[in-house]
Amino acid sequence: MLLALAIVLLSTGASTMIYEVVLIREFTVILGSSFYSSAVVLSSVMLGLSIGAYIFGRLSLNPVKTLFAIELAIALISVIIIPLSRKIANFDWNLEVFLSFLIPLIPATLMGGEIPLAVKILSKDKNVGEATGICYSLDTLGGIIGSLASGFFLIPTFGSLKTVLFAGVLNMFGALSINALDYELRIPAKALKRALIFALAVSVICIAYVTSNVVDFSTQNELYEGFYILNVTQTKYQTIVIAYHDYLGKCLFLDGSLQISDVGDEPYSEALTLPALVTLLSHRKPVDVLIIGGGDLGVAEVLTRFPKEDVRSIKLVEIDPKVVELSKKYLKSINRECWKDDRLKIIYEDCRKFLKDTRDKFDLVIVDLPDPKDDLSATMYSLEFYNTVYNVLSDDGIMVTQATSADYALGNESFAVIVKSLQASKFPIVRPYRYYVPSFGMWGFVLASKRYDPLNITKEDIRRVTKGINLYTYDEDVHFAMFALPPWLKKRIESAEVNTIDRPVLLYSESR
């Protein structure tokens, strides 16, 4: 009896945590932040577990038969829960939050009934205290295994849908183990009935697995309405989607957030790169450049337009090799095969580790990272991170970062926080600016310099530096216009708070 129950509790504990980890990831894409998704999923699961424990603990049911039914029900829910979760995308945000809370509640309620039922079964051979301790410890151990396996192996290898189906298979194993506990199954008629039910559930799981690629691809379209998906790739870091849009052209999405598009590339990449680079080159050359992020290679392409006499070397630090690989394949209109330039060296590493370990000094550091959506990404827009970048710059070096939306209507809170954080850093010169990007709206950037002020160069300096360079959205007039901020945005920056690792106010600055 104990062995069979151990299999049940270990497998169901693992499946519970797999559901939880996968749904947090799925709802991060929909809600826009892992803080929102974690809060919603965790509260929903905890509520469901408590409701299930209360209900099934009180009911006078055959614990073996009830546990068998619960395991099969949870296994079958694994077939629909991810497609159902993706259906809520593009609703009103408040409704998305409510539905994100509601979806995990039903399986969590069923999962909550497993331990009291297992305790009832085991208390026939053990005292209640010992039975309770054994059941909780086994369930918790299974949960630990499930959370680690899903985060480090299952999701990166198989994606969300197949990972949840694997959790359903675990519940099937649990149901199979429960059969060993029900001595009534020795009656042929009942044994046949239970076997047919089990076989039907297995068939549903098998069909779901066989069709999972088709279902996954079609349900991804729910998240990218108006886009034709060309490729979906799940890595251990993120979900990468390459999609086509009639107006924007080819687009790169990371965890549901648009990173770059054909239409938006030149305005974004030139705005991020050129004000800082031109300022630096107007004083001295050549320069050594570090790009943090930028796996789409749009920024690298702008840099490679300049001759070796201007830009001597380019190092690009990207954590996810797949971003670069897919960009090379699908986004050639953006990067123009700039990776073939022998000045460009791509390093696959966590940028924080690289900055900590490197002994190189750079004249220009360009931070082209995804928007801060969780506690990890928020650290790369923090006061501490900017001071780390300061330390790897040469004595007259410049840093520039993308700084999210600086739009009156579409949002500007995070932009203000990023500017305020850089103003509190070691950099003596901090110049925020913005530029219109078709796929983003009015987009924010911040230039931070040790010595050279981008507002203290002349139009003649800019013309001299950019002579003979193919430029599409930048010239001497645009340069100075970028730095002209409206009064309302200046006031927003003045009232903003500093984002630190210990207090990531950036995560709470965005309003929906």
Side-chain angles (χ1 to χ4, degrees):
M1 177 180 291
L2 182 57
L3 177 60
L5 271 180
I7 294 173
V8 173
L9 292 168
L10 286 170
S11 60
T12 55
S15 69
T16 301
M17 291 307 300
I18 290 172
Y19 269 77
E20 199 168 309
V21 173
V22 169
L23 288 175
I24 287 174
R25 184 175 184 82
E26 286 292 313
F27 292 140
T28 295
V29 174
I30 294 171
L31 301 181
S33 168
S34 65
F35 269 53
Y36 295 134
S37 64
S38 297
V40 168
V41 173
L42 290 174
S43 59
S44 176
V45 170
M46 294 304 292
L47 177 61
L49 292 175
S50 62
I51 292 174
Y54 178 78
I55 292 175
F56 289 99
R58 291 193 62 187
L59 293 177
S60 299
L61 300 170
N62 183 313
V64 174
K65 290 182 178 179
T66 306
L67 194 53
F68 177 86
I70 286 176
E71 292 297 314
L72 286 185
I74 298 172
L76 293 174
I77 288 174
S78 71
V79 175
I80 64 169
I81 195 164
I82 297 302
L84 181 62
S85 298
R86 292 174 180 173
K87 283 285 186 182
I88 71 173
N90 303 315
F91 286 8
D92 174 78
W93 189 76
N94 292 316
L95 180 58
E96 288 176 350
V97 172
F98 174 73
L99 293 174
S100 298
F101 181 85
L102 199 61
I103 287 172
L105 192 61
I106 295 174
T109 300
L110 295 174
M111 292 167 181
E114 293 169 342
I115 288 182
L117 291 171
V119 170
K120 286 182 180 180
I121 295 169
L122 192 57
S123 60
K124 294 177 181 178
D125 293 340
K126 310 279 186 182
N127 63 64
V128 174
E130 185 179 2
T132 302
I134 291 173
C135 290
Y136 270 101
S137 63
L138 289 171
D139 185 75
T140 302
L141 179 60
I144 294 170
I145 296 170
S147 60
L148 291 173
S150 58
F152 286 93
F153 175 69
L154 293 173
I155 296 175
T157 305
F158 302 109
S160 296
L161 186 55
K162 287 183 179 178
T163 297
V164 170
L165 290 176
F166 176 78
V169 171
L170 290 179
N171 290 114
M172 297 298 296
F173 274 113
L176 191 61
S177 300
I178 292 167
N179 281 333
L181 299 175
D182 196 346
Y183 296 103
E184 291 181 1
L185 287 178
R186 293 174 179 174
I187 303 173
K190 291 188 176 181
L192 179 60
K193 180 180 178 181
R194 191 75 64 86
L196 288 173
I197 295 173
F198 185 83
L200 179 62
V202 170
S203 300
V204 172
I205 295 288
C206 290
I207 292 170
Y209 183 84
V210 170
T211 61
S212 60
N213 289 336
V214 175
V215 173
D216 191 29
F217 199 83
S218 63
T219 54
Q220 287 285 355
N221 282 307
E222 300 290 338
L223 303 176
Y224 303 95
E225 186 176 358
F227 291 85
Y228 175 75
I229 294 178
L230 303 174
N231 181 277
V232 178
T233 300
Q234 178 69 57
T235 73
K236 66 179 181 178
Y237 302 106
Q238 58 207 337
T239 302
I240 307 169
V241 172
I242 305 291
Y244 178 81
H245 188 272
D246 288 341
Y247 171 68
L248 299 176
K250 288 182 180 178
C251 303
L252 169 67
F253 290 86
L254 299 179
D255 280 342
S257 295
L258 178 62
Q259 303 301 306
I260 202 164
S261 67
D262 283 341
V263 169
D265 167 45
E266 297 296 355
Y268 175 84
S269 297
E270 290 191 353
L272 178 58
T273 307
L274 293 175
L277 178 62
V278 170
T279 298
L280 201 54
L281 292 176
S282 68
H283 290 89
R284 67 177 188 83
K285 58 179 71 173
V287 297
D288 298 305
V289 184
L290 171 66
I291 306 171
I292 297 176
D296 54 71
L297 304 177
V299 167
E301 187 278 324
V302 176
L303 291 168
T304 55
R305 297 178 199 171
F306 288 78
K308 293 182 179 180
E309 292 76 18
D310 290 347
V311 178
R312 179 168 49 196
S313 68
I314 307 165
K315 285 187 177 179
L316 187 149
V317 179
E318 167 64 54
I319 194 170
D320 194 341
K322 274 292 181 181
V323 175
V324 176
E325 178 185 326
L326 293 170
S327 296
K328 287 181 178 180
K329 180 177 180 180
Y330 290 99
L331 304 179
K332 291 181 181 180
S333 58
I334 290 174
N335 53 59
R336 298 181 175 91
E337 298 187 333
C338 67
W339 66 85
K340 296 179 179 179
D341 192 303
D342 59 9
R343 291 174 292 173
L344 178 60
K345 180 181 179 182
I346 301 176
I347 302 167
Y348 298 111
E349 188 177 2
D350 187 319
C351 66
R352 296 168 301 168
K353 185 179 186 303
F354 176 86
L355 291 172
K356 179 182 177 182
D357 296 342
T358 186
R359 295 185 179 181
D360 296 330
K361 290 291 184 179
F362 301 93
D363 304 302
L364 174 60
V365 175
I366 302 173
V367 183
D368 185 17
L369 293 168
D371 295 348
K373 295 175 65 174
D374 51 42
D375 52 344
L376 176 60
S377 58
T379 65
M380 289 174 278
Y381 291 85
S382 66
L383 174 64
E384 295 88 345
F385 182 80
Y386 295 138
N387 285 335
T388 301
V389 173
Y390 181 96
N391 294 333
V392 304
L393 282 168
S394 57
D395 292 339
D396 56 356
I398 295 177
M399 186 210 85
V400 63
T401 180
Q402 80 90 5
T404 77
S405 174
D407 196 285
Y408 185 85
L410 301 178
N412 49 69
E413 293 83 0
S414 291
F415 172 74
V417 170
I418 293 169
V419 176
K420 195 75 170 183
S421 301
L422 270 165
Q423 289 175 342
S425 71
K426 295 178 181 179
F427 288 97
I429 300 170
V430 176
R431 297 294 186 190
Y433 63 100
R434 26 176 233 162
Y435 195 70
Y436 178 76
V437 180
S439 47
F440 296 147
M442 191 62 75
W443 205 251
F445 308 87
V446 190
L447 184 155
S449 175
K450 287 188 175 183
R451 183 177 298 178
Y452 305 126
D453 191 333
L455 297 181
N456 286 342
I457 61 175
T458 67
K459 290 186 177 181
E460 179 56 37
D461 290 330
I462 297 172
R463 285 192 290 268
R464 172 174 52 83
V465 170
T466 59
K467 184 179 181 180
I469 307 298
N470 291 326
L471 302 179
Y472 301 91
T473 63
Y474 174 89
D475 62 15
E476 62 272 17
D477 294 320
V478 170
H479 177 93
F480 293 101
M482 287 180 175
F483 293 93
L485 301 186
W488 61 265
L489 189 53
K490 293 178 181 178
K491 291 179 181 178
R492 178 75 75 175
I493 293 169
E494 289 175 3
S495 62
E497 297 182 85
V498 175
N499 184 64
T500 65
I501 292 176
D502 182 59
R503 190 166 180 267
V505 297
L506 191 58
L507 292 173
Y508 311 110
S509 63
E510 286 295 335
S511 59
R512 298 297 305 203

